[in-house]
Amino acid sequence: MEKIAIAIHGGAGTLDPSALTPEKEAAYRGALSAAVRRGHAVLAAGGAAIDAVEAAVRVLEDSPLFNAGKGAVFTAEGTHEMDAAIMQGSDLRAGAVASVQNVKNPVALARLVMEKSGHVLLSGRGAFEFAHKQKVELEDDEYFFDQLRYDQWQEVRGSTETRLDHSTGEKKFGTVGAVALDAQGHLAAATSTGGMTNKRWQRIGDSPVVGAGTYANDATCAISCTGNGEAFLRAVAAHDVHALMAYKGLSLEEAVRIVVHEKLPPLDGEGGMIALDKHGNIVLDFNCTGMYRARIDRRGEVVAIFR
Amino acid sequence: MEKIAIAIHGGAGTLDPSALTPEKEAAYRGALSAAVRRGHAVLAAGGAAIDAVEAAVRVLEDSPLFNAGKGAVFTAEGTHEMDAAIMQGSDLRAGAVASVQNVKNPVALARLVMEKSGHVLLSGRGAFEFAHKQKVELEDDEYFFDQLRYDQWQEVRGSTETRLDHSTGEKKFGTVGAVALDAQGHLAAATSTGGMTNKRWQRIGDSPVVGAGTYANDATCAISCTGNGEAFLRAVAAHDVHALMAYKGLSLEEAVRIVVHEKLPPLDGEGGMIALDKHGNIVLDFNCTGMYRARIDRRGEVVAIFR
């Protein structure tokens, strides 16, 4: 039980400390703490890493503070299209959904894709049909409504501009994710997002793509990313961290540093990632001003937003 | 010009030589030869690798013999949902579409996603809207109709069974792809597929996923895969070849061998890949009985189906 560890994120970006009121900061910190504790409780009870990351991400999806599940941003059509993925490092099984609507917890649906569909990635209306068949919790559009997200959309509605999940003066990549190591030594990762405000054409980012935004392999590490999804897709960012460890023998910290600070920036890859290796080492790194994040390991709990 | 090279594939699988009549084999060989020559002509004229792979894949998409474009298999709903990706190794730019209908040449749409959308991956109805806006060539459902595909669908229609692109006694992963190296030393890769017969839930395989079914990086190699898409997704197969070369210093041949014969089989990853490195070396490898394939380099043209 010494090695059990979990880390989560709630997005990263060019965050302005002065724009964050003490009340708002307390709300974010409270939500992050609740999520990481929920996941840690699963591990502490001897539960599996895959259950811990799903539990933690569900808490973040249920909070309107983060761009995933309730609180997902608006598409150009005024809908909420969400992406999620989950992967377990013991056997490289994975499940993911892209551009899915009205599903309360996309990460739970991704888990069912992994376990019940025979496939890895389902999308759009088809993913919704699978959700319906699996009797996952569905919600009306009103459930996903959030005034802040609506106001963000109104600023760009009718234009061709897509926007990151942002507040005035801020540029935030709103995505949530978790990585965990259980007492059996297994790693898992999960990521969930609403994507970009005013996005069109059922654009899919890195979050639901195994190897890009989400990856877990017991031989090396578990990774969940947040940032400019297109760059993370082109960089195959999460798998690249694994490969640097597996083939070059780098430490988790060094592998993450190379991908986040050397590989991604030339591709306009602003953002960050949470990473956890098989020894329980946690690395939370980003190349922007802040990342909503929390961790619990044998040294205790840490919640942070800025550097 | 010494180094220009191109290779293509038209799917792989458990092929039965006795099921292939001389007439049918001649038809396949003719189509493969036409496609690889079309791509090579682009390179020989000093054209870019990205143009060569698009040109070669378009020829394969336009042939009803292969499960891509015209000749794509039927989904459970009797439609044709196609996936495609294209990537250039010089700057890691990439474009892809998933679950798109009525687009004559999905690879050409993937190219436009790369160049005009600001995104990497578009899906479903949204990808179709983008196609319409970009004025790409669209076709009615009738264009995609093929009696063999229809008969294949009838065998499993109404059941929950999904099938690979197969003939009686055969199990074939019908996908097409191309990799090319141009005179400027740039690599590119492209892949296009109709997926699995009777597929549901807008399942997305590895073909449109950068790093899984398609990858190109001038530092190492260009790859296009064909096989059980779920396994290739979980293995992040194409990027793994790149990583083994970049971080472990392996040759293209050795890196491909490890992924195709050691990494994929434990994940039920039957299939193969075509690979080309920056020196013009071509490797066409598979872990099943056959792969429709062709290549042209300084040693001339080779077209092959079985080992």
Side-chain angles (χ1 to χ4, degrees), chain A residues 77 81 87 91-93 99 117-127 129-130 133 196 201-204 209-211 215 230 233-236 239-240 243-244 247-248 263 267, chain B residues 77 81 87 91-93 99 117-127 129-130 133 196 201-204 209-211 215 230 233-236 239-240 243-244 247-248 263 267:
Chain A
E77 293 168 340
E81 289 181 356
M87 186 168 188
D91 55 8
L92 305 183
R93 286 176 73 199
S99 303
S117 76
H119 298 304
V120 169
L121 176 55
L122 303 182
S123 62
R125 175 183 46 75
E129 282 165 23
F130 176 74
K133 184 182 155 75
M196 300 165 80
W201 307 320
Q202 296 188 275
R203 168 259 189 192
I204 300 175
V209 175
V210 168
Y215 190 72
E230 278 68 19
L233 277 171
R234 293 163 59 201
V236 198
H239 186 261
D240 206 23
L244 285 163
Y247 304 143
K248 225 173 176 173
K263 300 281 198 96
L267 307 179
Chain B
E77 293 167 340
E81 290 181 356
M87 185 167 190
D91 54 8
L92 305 182
R93 286 176 73 200
S99 303
S117 76
H119 298 303
V120 170
L121 177 55
L122 304 182
S123 62
R125 177 183 45 74
E129 283 166 24
F130 176 75
K133 184 182 155 75
M196 299 164 81
W201 308 321
Q202 297 189 277
R203 168 260 188 192
I204 300 175
V209 174
V210 168
Y215 189 71
E230 278 67 20
L233 277 170
R234 292 163 59 202
V236 200
H239 187 261
D240 205 23
L244 285 164
Y247 304 143
K248 227 174 173 175
K263 301 280 199 97
L267 307 178

Side-chain angles (χ1 to χ4, degrees), chain B residues 38-93:
Chain B
R38 182 76 63 88
H40 188 263
V42 171
L43 300 173
I50 191 87
D51 292 319
V53 295
E54 181 184 340
V57 168
R58 287 175 79 122
V59 173
L60 296 166
E61 286 177 338
D62 290 345
S63 165
L65 293 173
F66 306 101
N67 175 15
K70 186 176 178 67
V73 298
F74 284 82
T75 68
E77 293 167 340
T79 59
H80 305 278
E81 290 181 356
M82 299 167 288
D83 303 338
I86 195 165
M87 185 167 190
Q88 60 187 19
S90 55
D91 54 8
L92 305 182
R93 286 176 73 200

Side-chain angles (χ1 to χ4, degrees), chain A residues 260-288:
Chain A
V260 171
H261 298 283
E262 295 181 13
K263 300 281 198 96
L264 285 165
L267 307 179
D268 295 321
E270 204 180 350
M273 59 175 67
I274 57 173
L276 174 58
D277 71 15
K278 59 183 174 179
H279 307 295
N281 297 306
I282 294 173
V283 175
L284 313 174
D285 203 358
F286 45 98
N287 58 28
C288 41

